[in-house]
Amino acid sequence: MANSATPLILLMLISLLAAIEGAQNSTELKWAKKLKTRKKTTSSETVTNLQFYFHDTVSGKTPSAVRVAQATDTEKSPTLFGALLMADDPLTETADPNSKLVGRAQGLYGSSCQQELGLIMAMNFGFTDGMYNGSSISILGKNSAMNPVREMPVVAGTGVFRLGRGYAIAKTHWIDFTTGDAIVGYNVTVIH
């Protein structure tokens, strides 16, 4: 009797282990995935792709970005040259502001161009979801905000992204030209 039950028990254990592994794989984040690279990196490096939306609200009763300084002639400039804003913007899984919060973009950006709407960005994207909870990446570079697609460097990271480097591709999803509120899609590749 014991001998005939052994294959059944083994089959049940294998099925249970497969179900557990499948459940663990199904908890992968929709907005983040590890990539296989064509270029050789050191054996300890990982390439991760992150896709999320940045919600910058400068209007209303509870803005997520506020002007903290400006030059004496900022209001006369068509590009608001010299304006400096501090931001604490939500990062979400989709363009819907009510979609899952995956982190916050905290830092500052300022109008640094006189001929175009160009922003210098010093932002920390701190993540709060899944295995990236507590990790962050830092972006420092020019954001030519009126270009449909722009690229900025990822210069550092913390947590899972410690010693991170890479690039961020930003695409404006929606903008209100009256208020300046915007939703921007980010596709970020980080080597860490």
Side-chain angles (χ1 to χ4, degrees), residues 121 124 188:
M121 296 187 65
N124 184 71
V188 181

Side-chain angles (χ1 to χ4, degrees), residues 8-22:
L8 182 59
I9 291 172
L10 284 174
L11 183 60
M12 289 173 50
L13 281 173
I14 291 170
S15 297
L16 179 63
L17 289 173
I20 290 171
E21 183 177 336

Side-chain angles (χ1 to χ4, degrees), residues 19-95:
I20 290 171
E21 183 177 336
Q24 288 173 339
N25 289 342
S26 70
T27 60
E28 280 188 26
L29 303 173
K30 293 179 185 176
W31 60 276
K33 63 182 174 183
K34 290 184 180 176
L35 302 175
K36 295 184 186 222
T37 62
R38 287 183 276 174
K39 279 181 111 178
K40 283 192 171 188
T41 59
T42 66
S43 60
S44 62
E45 288 185 320
T46 302
V47 179
T48 301
N49 178 253
L50 308 169
Q51 294 183 17
F52 50 83
Y53 288 82
F54 172 99
H55 299 265
D56 193 48
T57 305
V58 294
S59 68
K61 292 182 181 181
T62 57
S64 61
V66 295
R67 191 179 301 190
V68 294
Q70 67 182 33
T72 55
D73 289 339
T74 293
E75 294 301 326
K76 296 176 187 172
S77 168
T79 64
L80 295 176
F81 178 68
L84 182 66
L85 289 90
M86 189 68 60
D88 184 7
D89 292 335
L91 302 175
T92 61
E93 193 171 72
T94 72

Side-chain angles (χ1 to χ4, degrees), residues 31-37 41 44-52 125 127 132 135-139 152-169 186-192:
W31 60 276
K33 63 182 174 183
K34 290 184 180 176
L35 302 175
K36 295 184 186 222
T37 62
T41 59
S44 62
E45 288 185 320
T46 302
V47 179
T48 301
N49 178 253
L50 308 169
Q51 294 183 17
F52 50 83
F125 289 5
F127 300 104
Y132 302 107
S135 298
S136 69
I137 57 171
S138 295
I139 292 179
M152 292 166 280
V154 173
V155 297
T158 66
V160 171
F161 302 118
R162 185 174 295 134
L163 298 176
R165 63 197 186 282
Y167 62 94
I169 302 293
Y186 273 81
N187 184 326
V188 181
T189 300
V190 186
I191 301 171
H192 54 99

Side-chain angles (χ1 to χ4, degrees), residues 88-154:
D88 184 7
D89 292 335
L91 302 175
T92 61
E93 193 171 72
T94 72
D96 179 353
N98 297 313
S99 66
K100 183 178 183 180
L101 183 72
V102 299
R104 298 201 73 83
Q106 297 167 322
L108 55 92
Y109 60 89
S111 180
S112 60
C113 298
Q114 294 183 26
Q115 304 303 316
E116 66 169 313
L117 183 57
L119 307 173
I120 183 71
M121 296 187 65
M123 300 293 282
N124 184 71
F125 289 5
F127 300 104
T128 58
D129 187 37
M131 69 180 284
Y132 302 107
N133 184 18
S135 298
S136 69
I137 57 171
S138 295
I139 292 179
L140 175 63
K142 181 184 174 190
N143 180 351
S144 296
M146 299 312 291
N147 288 356
V149 178
R150 50 251 186 228
E151 182 175 337
M152 292 166 280
V154 173

